[in-house]
Amino acid sequence: MRNINEDTITAAVLDRMGECPNPRLKEIMSALVRHMHDFAREVKLTEAEWAEGIEFLTATGQKCTDKRQEFILLSDTLGLSMLTVAMNHAKSAQATEATVFGPFHVPGAPQLALGDDISGGAKGEPLFVDATVRGRDGEPVANAQVDVWEADAEGFYDVQRADLERPQGRAVFRTDGDGRLYFRGVMPVAYPIPTDGPVGTMLKATKRHPWRPAHVHFMIQAPGYETLITHVFRGDDPYLDSDAVFGVRSSLIGNFESHPEGVAPDGSVQARPFHTLAFDFVLEPSPA
């Protein structure tokens, strides 16, 4: 097609994809083209504005490393991550709800025994977690793999600290025969997502704050069940209703209890105040 104009170009692009052999790819790309073209027409996008948008996306990619994923951060702050979670992980009433994965999970966390300390020397008040992993019908899920990761008392994950020689605030556990999971960590605090890159520039330009409410991350995998990626949030956090990545669900607010110095759940004597969290995770069965 020659002499393409703003009224005919969308159909021309769609026509070029008419021979795409992958039906799902064709569906996705066709919808993407239609919506992008409609967006450009709706806002009357200028060439200078689109050039600035390309620069923004280029900078987003350049900010990514093996320890930082700026595109995930962008997806999170635009609500796209949570939208895809909500669409793809609708749960039964009994099952624990999913939320965003976040940009700070890394593979290869140390395998620890139940009861061990995941902090690895990270700063923070002691937190003792005692959880269960069960199926929708109440059956304990034994030997489930549970990835746990959290920020320290200053709001940083270990991958944000260049001077660390070993992981901090992350580990992988296996539940026992009763589906029980227990370990020691640090009390989570609210923290700002990184703002030294393009996402931070976008938040500042749109007058949005970068704060996430205090939480601990969990990823639970077991044969016969859907993988659960979720958080447990502190109920006293001021950012629960304005999470920068839209990830809070009321059912994921846990009961973090504070205790004076004394004997902790693992029998150790704590010379300073400590905290406990009890939480029950319920997995959805895998589709047949």
Side-chain angles (χ1 to χ4, degrees):
M1 180 184 291
R2 300 183 184 183
N3 303 319
I4 290 173
N5 59 39
E6 64 181 274
D7 298 316
T8 61
I9 188 164
T10 304
V13 176
L14 295 176
D15 184 64
R16 297 284 177 88
M17 292 189 292
E19 300 301 319
C20 177
N22 184 321
R24 179 60 175 164
L25 177 60
K26 181 179 180 181
E27 178 186 14
I28 291 172
M29 291 299 299
S30 297
L32 178 64
V33 167
R34 288 196 303 272
H35 288 289
M36 282 198 308
H37 286 206
D38 287 343
F39 156 74
R41 293 188 186 97
E42 178 183 340
V43 302
K44 295 180 172 55
L45 192 66
T46 68
E47 291 174 275
E49 289 166 341
W50 182 224
E52 188 171 343
I54 290 173
E55 289 180 7
F56 175 83
L57 294 174
T58 301
T60 300
Q62 291 171 338
K63 197 67 177 177
C64 296
T65 69
D66 60 337
K67 294 183 177 180
R68 175 167 176 174
Q69 235 301 345
E70 192 79 359
F71 269 111
I72 290 180
L73 204 60
L74 178 60
S75 174
D76 289 351
T77 53
L78 293 178
L80 185 57
S81 297
M82 197 60 212
L83 173 59
T84 57
V85 168
M87 290 190 301
N88 288 277
H89 296 280
K91 305 290 186 182
S92 59
Q94 306 97 313
T96 301
E97 293 186 283
T99 190
V100 293
F101 193 43
F104 296 115
H105 176 268
V106 293
Q111 298 264 349
L112 298 184
L114 292 171
D116 282 352
D117 187 350
I118 73 170
S119 66
K123 296 178 180 178
E125 297 180 353
L127 171 68
F128 295 86
V129 177
D130 195 340
T132 60
V133 180
R134 298 187 177 277
R136 195 171 61 185
D137 296 326
E139 72 280 8
V141 181
N143 202 38
Q145 177 176 301
V146 185
D147 285 62
V148 183
W149 65 105
E150 63 170 342
D152 61 22
E154 295 179 338
F156 292 105
Y157 291 85
D158 56 355
V159 293
Q160 294 176 279
R161 296 188 180 277
D163 57 342
L164 293 181
E165 297 181 355
R166 60 172 180 165
Q168 288 186 342
R170 66 179 70 242
V172 179
F173 296 97
R174 290 282 181 175
T175 56
D176 68 13
D178 295 321
R180 188 175 171 216
L181 165 73
Y182 53 98
F183 62 91
R184 175 176 169 174
V186 297
M187 185 67 162
V189 299
Y191 62 84
I193 61 174
T195 57
D196 60 338
V199 172
T201 301
M202 182 270 291
L203 292 178
K204 183 178 180 180
T206 55
K207 296 193 180 299
R208 290 176 53 189
H209 76 68
W211 287 87
R212 294 222 62 205
H215 59 274
V216 181
H217 292 263
F218 295 86
M219 179 168 65
I220 305 175
Q221 302 175 80
Y225 298 91
E226 290 186 6
T227 295
L228 173 64
I229 296 173
T230 195
H231 309 353
V232 179
F233 295 91
R234 280 179 58 175
D236 60 349
D237 195 284
Y239 296 105
L240 287 172
D241 293 315
S242 61
D243 181 9
V245 305
F246 310 97
V248 178
R249 294 187 171 190
S250 296
S251 66
L252 301 179
I253 297 175
N255 183 22
F256 289 81
E257 294 190 21
S258 298
H259 308 269
E261 65 273 11
V263 180
D266 66 352
S268 63
V269 178
Q270 298 295 313
R272 55 176 174 160
F274 63 92
H275 310 270
T276 58
L277 168 66
F279 200 85
D280 296 322
F281 296 98
V282 179
L283 304 185
E284 193 80 6
S286 296

